[in-house]
Amino acid sequence: MTKGSPLSLVIVALVALPALYLDFVLYQAGTGWIALIFLIIIALFVFVYLSPSAYTFRYLFPGLFGFALFVIFPLLYTVLISFTKYSSQNLLPLERVISLLRQETFSTGGSTFQYKLFKQSDTQYILYLQDEKDPARRFASDPFDLTVSTGSHAISLLDPQPLQPLPPGQQPPGQPLEMPQVTRAKLFIPMRGRQFVLPDDKLVSMEGLQKFSTRDRLWILNPDRTLTNRKDGTIIRPDFRTGFFVNEKGQRYGVGFRVFSGFENYMRIVTDPRIQGPFVRIFVWTVTFSALSVLSSFGVGVLIAVILEWKEVRFRGIYRTLLILPYAVPAVLSILIFKGLFNQEFGAVNEFLRAMFHFAPEWETNPWGARVMLLLVNVWLGYPYMMLISTGMLQSIPVTIYEASAIDGSNPLKDFYHITLPLIIPPLLPILISSFAFNFNNFNLIYLLTAGGPKMVGGGIAGETDLLVNYTFNIAFRDSGTNYGLASAVATLLFIIVGTLAWINLRMSGRRI
Amino acid sequence: MSEGAVEIKDLVKTYVDDRGRPTFTAVKNINLHIDNGEFMVLVGPSGCGKSTTLRMIAGLEKITAGSISIGGRVVNDMEPKDRGIAMVFQNYALYPHMTIYNNMAFGLQLAKKKKDFISDTVGRTAKALGLNQMLERKPQALSGGQRQRVALGRAIVRSPIVFLFDEPLSNLDAKMRVQMRSEISRLHGQLGSTMIYVTHDQVEAMTMGDRICVMRDGLIMQVADPLTLYRQPANLFVAGFIGSPPMNLLRGKIYRKDGGLAFTENSEKNALTVPLAGPIQDLANRYVDKEVVFGVRPEHLSEEVKNGSHVTLKSTVDIAEPMGSESLVYLKAGTGNLIARIAGEHLFHMGQEVAVQLNMDKIHLFDVETEEVVH
Amino acid sequence: MTTVQTPRKEESQTGTVRKRLTPTQKIAIRKVLAHAFLIGFIILVLVPFIMVISASFRKGNFAPSELIPDKISLEHWKFVLGIPYQEVVNPATGETRIVKAATPPLLWFWNSIKVSFIASAGIIFLSGSAAYGFARLYFKFRSATLGTLLILQMFPMVLALVAFYVILDFTGQYIPWLGLNTQPGLIMIYLGGISSYIWMIKGYFETIPPSMEESARIDGATQFQTFIRILLPISAPIFAVVFILAFIGYMSEYPVASVVLQSSDNWTLAVGANSFLYEQEKLWGRFSALAVLSGVPITVIFLLCQRFIVGGLVSGGVKE
């Protein structure tokens, strides 16, 4: 095996050759440096699996590769974004913004065209144009996807589709659609948003139902990346501080682009009262939530574990199985079930409390109610794990210690405080710390149970029960905010906090690696 | 007939840490020749490098420097399977998920031997070891002794030219250990293969080895047959290590006294003084007024005078351990403590005064500086 | 365990009332208290589940609030299983319509099983082989690498969503079945979370004496053969634990799946189940039926493998 056997050669070839082909495709598509990195990875792969000197890494390569791609890359990418202005306002790279501006047109009263759509498949179409005045001028596009999913962005983000002159007598392949088919909303709306570009760089787009007409580009791109308006001669240039194109008076044009912004996002967290206020409150709540969650689930877990270790109690097996249930059921389902049970008006919890005590806490609208609910649910979800872990620890304590303490005149409570806890807490400390770290980032619970609610007064998108990770998520993805740069900065800080915890944990667990 | 001879030349093993920095040298430049068909025991306290040496012979540890040859071929860069060796491990290292049959057949299967050949070989070996009834069982269903036999069988099946044993008996209870000891010895007689046997137990070493190699801190202290090792230890370490109870070792000086020589223990007062007699005087002559270590084995302190020159020591009994046919008696003579192995069915009691005869022909003197025996 | 040995010596008890109790009586009282406590807790554990089962059979979409449904109906179960059923639209006219799920919710459960199963199998492969490298092979900066893995993994997946989006958007342009809104794409992202599993498996490998592999080497096995034929079979229990933990973790994963999978026929259970609970209209009945349907098999599997899992949790000491 250390020497390249024929079989391993075949296997390496089976992986490497398609990868090389893919790399070639990438290169052709003009993604130069990505293709290069990919090529290096392929070379590394071949080296690791064929060279005897890299034998050890054959076992590590797949795992480390996946780790690099899905943990390290996202991390670095996030850190990188945290130093940029990147939000719903400054969304696109500069080049895309330029090409968007270049799609702006003004009517020049040029040619008009008759058009036909040739269907190629369910999604692919070819546009065919014929000049109304000069029927010999005919153009056709390559097949393009008309039903393309555009996600949240506008259709105008698509580049103009090039048109080629069609030689006389030749027709595009496929069947032309009848007019009623073309004017169906499913095709017509995307069609109306599309632009096409003639060989002479004139843009063509739909005018009315029946025709296409040429339009001229409004902006001319100068070699120094400034744009000149052809109608009034205004010159605009990219402002790399704000991430917008501006004219001499500082007036903004078009959409913003991403720019490097240094520590601006971090400074905002520290100085901007709209961010800083909620950030501090959320940080305090995150720490409190994690600490209380760990302590109370551990307390409940240990208590139950100790009782279940008492040999005098019958049916311990059944009890244990039933008590593990919250750990066995997928947490998503349990959390959503509790969302129903804690429903303020109709939920079982309040119906019960109303019937028994004429008392109905506001789990959804009162911040304290919501926090108590989160802790209750989290203890319910978390104690079985603590119970399982402590049971393992309890079973490793020799019974003779308790026998000795009994002879010394101890009682159950003293045993618990003076023997059991001191013996099990030190070995469990790493687990408690990682549990703290887990709860520090317990996105699911908050997102699914309260979605951060109730809203923090004057806190913008911050909710009273948001953890830092949920707050970050809101900044990045909630429609109103979408500030990737700021979110990444918070995420980076968050990672530093939790990473430090993990590092301390690693030190404390003192495992010989 | 030298195909089973093992030659170790200038062998060094240095371990390195996670970053390739040397941490600890387990074997420090040793040389050892093992004859074809010889039963060589490597013995020493834990950490002396004996197991590391064995594992280097097996090919399980990389050699830092020096060379190992088996049957005249240098095996430094050879895979374990190509070295013609088989190894029995301390914890038997049976594959828990395989039946006994498959445990024994694994090596032959990997070598792509014919099925008939495998079942024939395994069957014969199992029968010879009394394992043929349990071939379809898994290791955990077997007793310690049976597992040990399976491990032996697995080694035999490979028909190696050199057998390697790494403390194979230390996980067995005392009775089983004695039985397996003789079984391995018998096996050596039957097969005639070279066997290299690592143990920390000097009794095992003495009873089994044709020759014994005593190691300490990565160095060889002495290589000799059991009797030579016992009678003529080359240094303090071997003298103290071989023999149970150990040799009495007293630190003191040689003085001229009454025209002859005497050894006096280092002590403020009541120092034990032994007048020297017999051939030992010639050796002691060189160490007059110098420090030496004086050694005598417990059995050479006796109640009756046997032949040879003797010196009588007055002493009191501290503790006595009657063993039946003999007694181990812990004596106080002067300020020194001596252990005597006294034959005969006696009962000694504490504080009893005993005059013991010290056989002067059997004493050893060791240099304090070099720890080597004086000769 | 702590309570067993003590009752013999009354002098240690401070309460005057207790002093009069015999040891046997004290044990009896403690036993009753223990049972009462445990049963009380079990009620707290079971009531939510019973209410969900009840809600799944209850007519109309009400939040789980009853132990036994007042009006029993199978409509939610039919909906979840993709079986069409009649529903009265207007009670006055008796007008009815046929209701059938466009995407049978059962499909989400199946999707989740598929994704979680393949991802867990992948995790086993990746973390198992890497753990072997870390536990048994020598290479420079081994412990540093291992520590780095653990610390970097602390970066929450949720916050890497932007990067995941970028990666999948990119791969999707060249390999359409591995892009956004594909299950293979989601699986690929899930495969990044290996480091805690590497630690668990490595910890287990280290409890296995290396002499078995050494013996196999002397028997003529290559490194790869000792890994496959000796170490892997012996380590089957820890692989079972890792598989189950990873599987359950992925069954519950919500944020990444909700971003990557956009069309409802691709959704996983977590995304689908949450989709029943809109802000405006919460379809508790349908949610409950889906929760029971998918929760029960997973719970049963978990309970059957309990023993394994507990051992693995204790030895690994890492929670997902």
Side-chain angles (χ1 to χ4, degrees):
Chain A
M1 193 66 198
T2 37
K3 299 178 184 64
S5 64
L7 184 68
S8 60
L9 210 66
V10 169
I11 293 172
V12 168
L14 277 181
V15 178
L17 291 178
L20 274 176
Y21 172 73
L22 194 66
D23 192 50
F24 180 70
V25 173
L26 282 178
Y27 178 73
Q28 293 263 298
T31 54
W33 60 274
I34 294 179
L36 181 69
I37 291 175
F38 196 53
L39 188 68
I40 293 172
I41 292 170
I42 297 171
L44 207 62
F45 168 80
V46 173
F47 170 73
V48 163
Y49 284 92
L50 290 184
S51 160
S53 63
Y55 184 80
T56 303
F57 292 94
R58 288 181 202 180
Y59 296 94
L60 301 171
F61 187 84
L64 292 184
F65 173 66
F67 192 81
L69 186 57
F70 295 111
V71 179
I72 298 177
F73 168 74
L75 206 159
L76 293 179
Y77 189 79
T78 307
V79 174
L80 196 74
I81 291 177
S82 75
F83 292 106
T84 58
K85 206 184 184 87
Y86 182 17
S87 65
S88 54
Q89 294 194 338
N90 301 66
L91 188 66
L92 300 171
L94 178 61
E95 296 307 319
R96 295 283 317 164
V97 172
I98 292 176
S99 92
L100 269 187
L101 282 167
R102 294 259 296 138
Q103 282 178 48
E104 288 183 21
T105 54
F106 64 107
S107 180
T108 48
S111 342
T112 49
F113 298 90
Q114 299 278 344
Y115 76 94
K116 278 179 187 157
L117 266 183
F118 284 78
K119 184 171 182 170
Q120 306 297 310
S121 70
D122 279 346
T123 55
Q124 298 282 316
Y125 294 87
I126 286 177
L127 178 73
Y128 164 83
L129 296 180
Q130 188 168 28
D131 196 321
E132 287 195 315
K133 291 185 187 122
D134 179 5
R137 280 187 77 205
R138 302 185 312 146
F139 301 94
S141 71
D142 287 333
F144 61 95
D145 192 345
L146 244 192
T147 57
V148 65
S149 147
T150 52
S152 54
H153 308 311
I155 250 171
S156 59
L157 287 186
L158 294 168
D159 278 326
Q161 195 74 35
L163 293 165
Q164 280 89 34
L166 206 58
Q170 200 178 319
Q171 287 289 323
Q175 279 299 310
L177 294 181
E178 302 292 325
M179 215 22 135
Q181 286 175 292
V182 176
T183 49
R184 264 206 238 133
K186 200 177 135 224
L187 288 181
F188 182 68
I189 291 174
M191 260 313 277
R192 208 175 43 189
R194 295 298 274 254
Q195 289 194 330
F196 299 84
V197 58
L198 289 173
D200 61 359
D201 202 35
K202 285 226 160 92
L203 292 176
V204 188
S205 60
M206 210 173 215
E207 192 173 290
L209 271 181
Q210 309 280 344
K211 281 178 187 145
F212 271 70
S213 63
T214 54
R215 299 173 68 81
D216 267 331
R217 293 190 195 263
L218 183 59
W219 300 97
I220 299 171
L221 180 62
N222 305 315
D224 61 348
R225 290 255 184 98
T226 58
L227 296 170
T228 310
N229 190 316
R230 289 170 71 179
K231 262 160 77 178
D232 56 16
T234 319
I235 294 176
I236 58 173
R237 55 171 188 82
D239 175 359
F240 289 100
R241 214 177 41 76
T242 59
F244 279 91
F245 270 93
V246 290
N247 63 11
E248 268 125 56
K249 287 180 216 145
Q251 197 186 343
R252 290 178 179 183
Y253 284 78
V255 294
F257 49 89
R258 285 179 230 165
V259 282
F260 178 76
S261 66
F263 282 92
E264 197 184 300
N265 290 315
Y266 293 94
M267 291 311 289
R268 263 189 86 186
I269 298 171
V270 183
T271 54
D272 186 340
R274 281 172 307 161
I275 310 282
Q276 179 222 18
F279 185 88
V280 172
R281 283 180 68 179
I282 287 170
F283 180 78
V284 171
W285 160 240
T286 305
V287 174
T288 318
F289 168 79
S290 317
L292 287 179
S293 292
V294 174
L295 286 180
S296 33
S297 353
F298 178 68
V300 173
V302 168
L303 184 64
I304 294 178
V306 165
I307 295 175
L308 285 180
E309 280 301 300
W310 187 18
K311 306 280 184 287
E312 299 273 317
V313 177
R314 292 179 65 193
F315 312 119
R316 289 182 304 145
I318 299 170
Y319 283 145
R320 179 169 291 142
T321 305
L322 288 174
L323 286 164
I324 290 176
L325 271 181
Y327 193 59
V329 176
V332 182
L333 297 178
S334 311
I335 295 170
L336 291 174
I337 290 170
F338 274 108
K339 190 176 181 172
L341 294 179
F342 277 98
N343 184 299
Q344 210 158 299
E345 282 129 62
F346 317 109
V349 175
N350 274 6
E351 279 193 6
F352 175 78
L353 290 177
R354 242 181 249 127
M356 299 292 288
F357 309 106
H358 304 287
F359 165 67
E362 298 165 318
W363 306 116
E364 287 163 4
T365 49
N366 182 313
W368 290 106
R371 286 178 194 142
V372 169
M373 166 179 74
L374 282 172
L375 281 171
L376 287 176
V377 173
N378 207 21
V379 169
W380 189 92
L381 288 169
Y383 83 85
Y385 173 71
M386 295 294 181
M387 175 182 102
L388 292 177
I389 297 283
S390 346
T391 302
M393 286 292 156
L394 289 176
Q395 282 167 352
S396 68
I397 302 178
V399 187
T400 46
I401 297 185
Y402 293 103
E403 288 166 354
S405 84
I407 292 167
D408 286 342
S410 177
N411 67 34
L413 220 57
K414 283 187 191 166
D415 273 351
F416 182 71
Y417 282 112
H418 297 301
I419 299 177
T420 310
L421 281 188
L423 277 177
I424 66 171
I425 285 185
L428 284 180
L429 214 48
I431 288 173
L432 294 181
I433 295 178
S434 51
S435 173
F436 181 87
F438 170 81
N439 279 308
F440 203 90
N441 286 328
N442 198 339
F443 176 84
N444 265 16
L445 178 71
I446 277 72
Y447 186 78
L448 295 174
L449 196 53
T450 67
K455 280 260 174 293
M456 198 181 279
V457 179
I461 46 171
E464 292 280 0
T465 55
D466 267 329
L467 298 181
L468 273 176
V469 61
N470 297 75
Y471 181 54
T472 317
F473 181 85
N474 291 348
I475 298 175
F477 299 110
R478 280 274 165 96
D479 334 76
S480 50
T482 340
N483 190 336
Y484 299 124
L486 184 61
S488 299
V490 180
T492 306
L493 290 182
L494 200 58
F495 170 68
I496 292 172
I497 295 170
V498 188
T500 311
L501 263 180
W503 183 77
I504 293 171
N505 201 6
L506 205 61
R507 282 287 133 126
M508 280 184 59
S509 65
R511 276 186 273 208
R512 294 280 304 128
I513 304 170
Chain B
M1 274 302 281
S2 67
E3 59 160 0
V6 177
E7 186 75 45
I8 296 173
K9 271 198 185 128
D10 304 324
L11 190 66
V12 178
K13 174 67 190 183
T14 302
Y15 287 98
V16 290
D17 74 356
D18 192 34
R19 301 193 183 161
R21 296 175 298 211
T23 47
F24 156 70
T25 301
V27 176
K28 299 166 183 163
N29 205 339
I30 63 169
N31 287 284
L32 182 65
H33 175 83
I34 300 161
D35 275 332
N36 183 33
E38 190 175 20
F39 197 116
M40 170 65 82
V41 178
L42 305 183
V43 69
S46 57
C48 71
K50 56 189 191 299
S51 277
T52 310
T53 307
L54 189 79
R55 291 166 58 81
M56 280 192 280
I57 299 171
L60 297 174
E61 300 276 359
K62 267 192 157 171
I63 294 169
T64 309
S67 74
I68 295 175
S69 9
I70 299 175
R73 293 178 307 167
V74 175
V75 295
N76 283 25
D77 296 319
M78 229 179 247
E79 283 288 309
K81 65 173 164 112
D82 302 324
R83 296 184 178 202
I85 49 128
M87 186 159 167
V88 178
F89 292 84
Q90 177 174 3
N91 57 5
Y92 323 130
L94 301 182
Y95 313 130
H97 57 295
M98 296 185 192
T99 61
I100 300 309
Y101 177 88
N102 282 329
N103 260 286
M104 290 171 67
F106 188 61
L108 299 177
Q109 287 165 350
L110 288 173
K112 303 228 160 59
K113 294 275 197 282
K114 288 224 170 61
K115 266 218 163 103
D116 292 351
F117 174 80
I118 296 177
S119 65
D120 188 51
T121 317
V122 172
R124 235 180 325 111
T125 314
K127 204 168 174 194
L129 291 165
L131 292 167
N132 42 350
Q133 298 304 311
M134 43 199 85
L135 282 176
E136 290 314 310
R137 292 200 211 154
K138 295 268 179 74
Q140 65 259 38
L142 267 56
S143 72
Q146 288 167 332
R147 287 183 209 181
Q148 183 61 73
R149 278 201 198 95
V150 176
L152 268 181
R154 191 169 63 181
I156 296 168
V157 169
R158 289 178 51 76
S159 49
I161 49 176
V162 179
F163 278 86
L164 306 175
F165 295 90
D166 189 4
E167 310 223 14
L169 304 183
S170 54
N171 282 11
L172 294 174
D173 61 48
K175 204 175 150 199
M176 203 65 219
R177 208 177 302 167
V178 174
Q179 189 187 331
M180 287 309 294
R181 215 154 71 189
S182 56
E183 261 184 59
I184 293 175
S185 292
R186 191 165 60 235
L187 192 70
H188 179 238
Q190 284 167 5
L191 299 174
S193 316
T194 311
M195 292 190 174
I196 306 176
Y197 189 105
V198 161
T199 179
H200 64 271
D201 179 355
Q202 48 113 355
V203 179
E204 254 173 49
M206 297 292 279
T207 50
M208 299 176 80
D210 290 336
R211 280 198 302 155
I212 297 168
C213 168
V214 183
M215 295 183 71
R216 182 180 72 162
D217 294 340
L219 295 168
I220 292 180
M221 304 312 288
Q222 188 175 6
V223 185
D225 63 87
L227 267 189
T228 311
L229 212 58
Y230 190 76
R231 287 187 185 148
Q232 297 157 22
N235 47 49
L236 260 180
F237 177 75
V238 176
F241 189 77
I242 300 289
S244 172
M247 184 185 278
N248 293 300
L249 295 169
L250 302 170
R251 204 175 160 132
K253 268 185 180 164
I254 306 285
Y255 290 106
R256 288 195 187 282
K257 194 184 172 195
D258 307 334
L261 291 170
F263 168 81
T264 303
E265 196 196 0
N266 286 349
S267 174
E268 299 284 303
K269 52 182 178 180
N270 278 341
L272 172 71
T273 300
V274 184
L276 299 182
I280 194 79
Q281 293 181 83
D282 297 340
L283 298 176
N285 240 333
R286 282 185 271 148
Y287 281 85
V288 174
D289 292 330
K290 280 186 194 158
E291 273 205 82
V292 289
V293 176
F294 177 94
V296 60
R297 293 220 178 261
E299 59 267 34
H300 299 131
L301 292 167
S302 53
E303 276 201 309
E304 302 122 45
V305 179
K306 293 172 193 157
N307 41 4
S309 42
H310 282 79
V311 169
T312 309
L313 289 179
K314 287 218 169 85
S315 61
T316 38
V317 174
D318 193 10
I319 303 168
E321 293 174 353
M323 318 272 288
S325 66
E326 58 176 31
S327 297
L328 294 182
V329 188
Y330 295 76
L331 300 167
K332 269 192 171 306
T335 53
N337 294 306
L338 292 170
I339 307 174
R341 186 200 294 267
I342 295 175
E345 298 170 5
H346 298 287
L347 267 184
F348 294 92
H349 41 85
M350 223 173 110
Q352 183 183 346
E353 300 243 324
V354 189
V356 287
Q357 304 296 323
L358 202 161
N359 187 341
M360 289 313 279
D361 295 343
K362 304 284 187 183
I363 66 170
H364 309 269
L365 289 181
F366 299 94
D367 188 300
V368 173
E369 302 287 310
T370 62
E371 302 198 347
E372 297 289 315
V373 75
V374 177
H375 55 171
Chain C
M1 169 162 213
T2 48
T3 26
V4 186
Q5 302 84 1
T6 44
R8 244 168 276 133
K9 50 269 152 307
E10 275 101 313
E11 64 278 7
S12 71
Q13 301 289 356
T14 46
T16 44
V17 183
R18 279 192 177 182
K19 248 183 184 166
R20 267 176 261 133
L21 294 171
T22 66
T24 331
Q25 282 172 319
K26 262 190 275 175
I27 290 191
I29 290 174
R30 277 186 202 144
K31 264 206 250 182
V32 170
L33 287 176
H35 280 285
F37 176 79
L38 291 175
I39 290 170
F41 221 88
I42 285 169
I43 289 174
L44 283 181
V45 167
L46 287 184
V47 163
F49 296 129
I50 295 171
M51 283 183 168
V52 167
I53 295 172
S54 148
S56 77
F57 288 108
R58 188 178 176 191
K59 201 163 174 55
N61 275 301
F62 299 102
S65 60
E66 294 179 335
L67 290 176
I68 299 156
D70 49 358
K71 281 188 225 138
I72 292 183
S73 147
L74 288 177
E75 58 184 39
H76 304 310
W77 282 88
K78 284 181 177 164
F79 185 86
V80 163
L81 294 171
I83 303 167
Y85 67 94
Q86 279 204 331
E87 190 187 61
V88 179
V89 181
N90 185 341
T93 59
E95 188 191 340
T96 61
R97 62 169 180 166
I98 303 289
V99 180
K100 184 176 184 293
T103 307
L106 192 60
L107 183 68
W108 299 330
F109 179 47
W110 172 237
N111 286 343
S112 266
I113 299 265
K114 262 195 306 191
V115 168
S116 310
F117 190 90
I118 298 172
S120 308
I123 283 282
I124 292 274
F125 168 74
L126 293 178
S127 54
S129 60
Y132 177 72
F134 283 117
R136 288 287 197 258
L137 302 176
Y138 167 83
F139 57 98
K140 284 186 180 179
F141 300 109
R142 183 174 64 163
S143 58
T145 314
L146 208 48
T148 312
L149 282 187
L150 200 65
I151 290 171
L152 292 185
Q153 189 86 80
M154 283 291 141
F155 189 72
M157 260 195 166
V158 186
L159 301 182
L161 276 176
V162 178
F164 291 153
Y165 197 92
V166 169
I167 295 176
L168 289 187
D169 192 35
F170 183 80
T171 53
Q173 287 169 27
Y174 301 96
I175 316 170
W177 53 268
L178 205 59
L180 282 168
N181 195 22
T182 65
Q183 288 166 1
L186 181 65
I187 292 170
M188 192 169 74
I189 285 181
Y190 282 168
L191 290 182
I194 53 171
S195 64
S196 54
Y197 298 122
I198 291 182
W199 275 82
M200 266 178 109
I201 299 173
K202 175 186 156 280
Y204 191 88
F205 281 167
E206 280 165 356
T207 64
I208 298 172
S211 56
M212 273 178 271
E213 292 145 70
E214 289 169 352
S215 177
R217 264 185 83 191
I218 291 176
D219 273 345
T222 62
Q223 187 115 51
F224 188 65
Q225 280 172 322
T226 55
F227 176 50
I228 295 292
R229 295 187 59 174
I230 308 294
L231 194 59
L232 281 193
I234 298 174
S235 313
I238 193 68
F239 284 105
V241 174
V242 167
F243 187 88
I244 294 166
L245 287 181
F247 188 85
I248 289 176
Y250 291 137
M251 287 297 283
S252 272
E253 203 284 328
Y254 175 78
V256 178
S258 75
V259 167
V260 171
L261 304 174
Q262 290 146 351
S263 56
S264 68
D265 52 343
N266 271 337
W267 281 351
T268 57
L269 175 66
V271 183
N274 197 36
S275 78
F276 281 140
L277 308 174
Y278 315 103
E279 204 51 54
Q280 293 78 16
E281 189 191 15
K282 296 194 165 69
L283 303 170
W284 284 109
R286 288 178 186 176
F287 164 78
S288 302
L290 179 61
V292 174
L293 185 72
S294 49
V296 167
I298 296 169
T299 309
V300 169
I301 293 172
F302 187 96
L303 293 180
L304 289 178
C305 309
Q306 219 194 101
R307 208 164 270 283
F308 275 136
I309 296 170
V310 175
L313 284 178
V314 172
S315 72
V318 184
K319 189 188 182 181
E320 172 55 28

